[in-house]
């Protein structure tokens, strides 16, 4: 390893871990939307609160990059990882906001494949939160990267079957269009978790 | 600062400034589309001319990167900034072209939120054009970056409310699909301005 | 040139060439879909096989990056090029899969502009496969880069005219939505070929 564990470096790992923990909060809020009689506006508002918190973490991270002489790994990679964690949160927030704005939760039920996608995101969030502290030692990150990619493939399949259902004639055209927007944000969140994992992989390749 | 202001370096700043000034021309042309009795085909054609001009600027920039021994900052960043300025222009041109091709300007009026998005783009173009010459000294770029991000958030909100309106049942399904294409290009242009700003930020971080 | 042609380096060029040759297989399978009485499911399955083969090549490439001390050019660029070649394959596979899943080939015929897009992809695949071995000497890559960009512009035009046709009222809303998904994957594949060419250009700029 090229660096020692000085306090200033610990701050970077803490910020990445906080950002990833917020993603777990985000996917747990999306899971709440499946509960009967849920207050959708309240869930959407709480997602927006978590998203603002994530923005603050990203901002703190950028300030720390600028004020730190020696960073634990390349500045650009820290910057990428921070902005990619932030991207995931943006997509999670969008899912909740759109479900509320479009009134989609007033339907008798959402397609099963949407719940499958939320479940994939929930798993991705949890293993991402577990992986962030491992950046300190760069150990056991391979498993994380492989699992995120496996989940992303699973998400892709659910997304594809969701579109088949949406286009099957079960829903009217405008409802299809609304659900398609939500589906695209769910799939973008899956991809965004993969981008985070790819940056972690890039960092690990450089450090190895 | 790591470099002196030699003539060859000035050429890079000039090309970035020209590219950004073209984006102002682009958003001004989009503004013309709101005027009563406007000749949409003519606006669309003039957008295509400006876009070709931008392509030429990007091409000149790439040639200059290849023929210059010492560049004012990393070759890859110059390359990124050039291609991202070009991306914005592509989206602005697409907005004008699609409005014309789909015959959308024959509607009594376009949704208010579309005009809001064009207004956001116009502001983004102007502060981007103001920021480019500041790359010489790397001063006062923070304000630019913060303001672009604020405008991008504003654009996101307008885009989201535009979709709510499009999906409200006010328009038939095919008109919704056409407007959605235009809306996506407007939103992509907003994002593309943010990518430009992020690259400027990356350059500033490296130089600081 | 900064490097000699040692066996280990040859392996990188071989993997890039194999990946690009798979893209040619992919576009040839898409061309088969235009033949009368074609077995769409079989074509879709064979595309999935080629895509799995590409995944294996990408995986081999990443392993080689990690196990090689001196790489012929920057590790990150090798990584980018590998993942971008893989992205093209993902879009080609998606085209075949969606045509099958949505039952679109049961229509009397697909829009002419879709065939134009497949033809553009076929040309892009072939010149990409021709260009990969040239990474050894970095010679004659300019023509490749220019031609890929020309083809991408041609693809953009076909895509735009395809949307005009889809939104013309010739098809019902759900069929339009299905075809739009296929059109987007075709256009994304065109773009993905351009991303490959841009990375080749970045590598050439660094080596020059």
């Amino acid at each position: 390893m090229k660096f020692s564990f000085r306090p200033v470096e610990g701050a970077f790992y803490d910020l990445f871990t906080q950002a990833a923990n917020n993603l777990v909060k985000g996917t747990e809020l999306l899971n709440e939307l499946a509960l009967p009689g849920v207050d959708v506006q309240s869930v959407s508002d709480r997602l927006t609160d978590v998203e603002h918190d994530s923005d603050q973490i990203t901002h703190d991270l950028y300030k720390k990059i600028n004020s730190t002489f020696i960073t634990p790994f390349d500045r650009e990679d820290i910057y990428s990882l921070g902005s990619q964690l932030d991207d995931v949160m943006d997509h999670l927030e969008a899912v909740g906001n759109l479900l509320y704005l479009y009134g989609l939760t007033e339907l008798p039920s959402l397609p099963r494949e949407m719940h499958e996608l939320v479940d994939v995101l929930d798993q991705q969030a949890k293993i991402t939160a577990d992986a962030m502290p491992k950046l300190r030692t760069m150990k056991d990150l391979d498993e994380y990267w492989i699992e995120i990619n496996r989940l992303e493939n699973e998400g892709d399949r659910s997304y594809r079957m969701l579109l088949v259902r949406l286009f099957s004639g079960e829903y009217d055209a405008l409802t299809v269009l609304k659900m398609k927007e939500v589906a695209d944000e769910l799939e973008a969140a899956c991809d965004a978790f993969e981008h985070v994992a790819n940056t972690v992989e890039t960092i690990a390749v450089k450090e190895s």
Side-chain angles (χ1 to χ4, degrees), chain A:
Chain A
M1 300 302 285
K2 304 192 191 90
F3 56 89
S4 62
F5 300 122
R6 285 167 303 156
V8 65
E9 293 174 353
F12 286 106
Y13 304 114
D14 288 349
L15 288 167
F16 288 136
T17 304
Q18 282 174 43
N21 285 339
N22 264 358
L23 300 180
V24 176
K25 283 187 203 164
T27 57
E28 282 172 353
L29 283 166
L30 292 184
N31 262 328
E32 278 192 35
L33 291 172
L35 301 177
V38 67
D39 178 348
V40 188
Q41 182 173 4
S42 152
V43 172
S44 172
D45 288 350
R46 278 183 286 154
L47 267 165
T48 300
D49 291 343
V50 179
E51 196 273 331
H52 286 165
D53 193 36
S54 287
D55 277 349
Q56 188 55 52
I57 293 167
T58 313
H59 190 238
D60 290 350
L61 183 72
Y62 291 173
K63 272 203 306 196
K64 193 146 284 295
I65 297 172
N66 286 321
S67 64
T68 304
F69 190 65
I70 299 174
T71 52
F73 31 89
D74 281 359
R75 271 161 216 279
E76 293 106 288
D77 291 330
I78 296 178
Y79 187 86
S80 292
L81 190 52
S83 92
Q84 286 168 337
L85 286 163
D86 200 44
D87 285 348
V88 182
M89 194 67 233
D90 289 348
H91 294 299
L92 297 182
E93 189 205 5
V95 170
N97 287 177
L98 295 181
L99 282 170
Y100 168 60
L101 277 172
Y102 296 159
L104 284 170
T105 50
E106 290 158 29
L107 293 170
S109 71
L110 292 170
R112 180 173 51 78
E113 294 83 359
M114 276 202 184
H115 296 297
E116 286 173 13
L117 274 161
V118 171
D119 189 51
V120 165
L121 291 173
D122 199 40
Q123 293 180 61
Q124 286 183 312
K126 278 170 182 144
I127 65 172
T128 303
D130 285 347
M132 288 302 115
K134 294 181 185 163
L135 283 168
R136 283 176 182 272
T137 58
M138 298 285 168
K139 280 192 182 134
D140 307 320
L141 285 166
D142 266 19
E143 287 166 43
Y144 151 69
W145 189 71
I146 291 167
E147 182 64 6
I148 284 286
N149 278 277
R150 191 191 65 76
L151 287 165
E152 198 272 334
N153 283 331
E154 196 178 314
D156 265 2
R157 267 193 306 276
S158 293
Y159 173 75
R160 205 165 276 186
M161 295 323 292
L162 175 55
L163 295 202
V164 170
R165 179 190 295 261
L166 292 184
F167 300 158
S168 66
E170 189 175 335
Y171 306 97
D172 69 280
L174 285 178
T175 302
V176 171
L177 286 170
K178 291 173 192 174
M179 285 199 183
K180 177 72 168 43
E181 290 303 302
V182 176
D184 285 351
E185 292 291 347
L186 287 166
E187 201 256 349
C190 267
D191 278 356
F193 272 118
E194 196 184 22
H195 298 158
V196 169
N198 287 343
T199 298
V200 169
E201 178 77 0
T202 305
I203 293 168
V205 166
K206 285 190 195 172
E207 297 293 325
S208 67

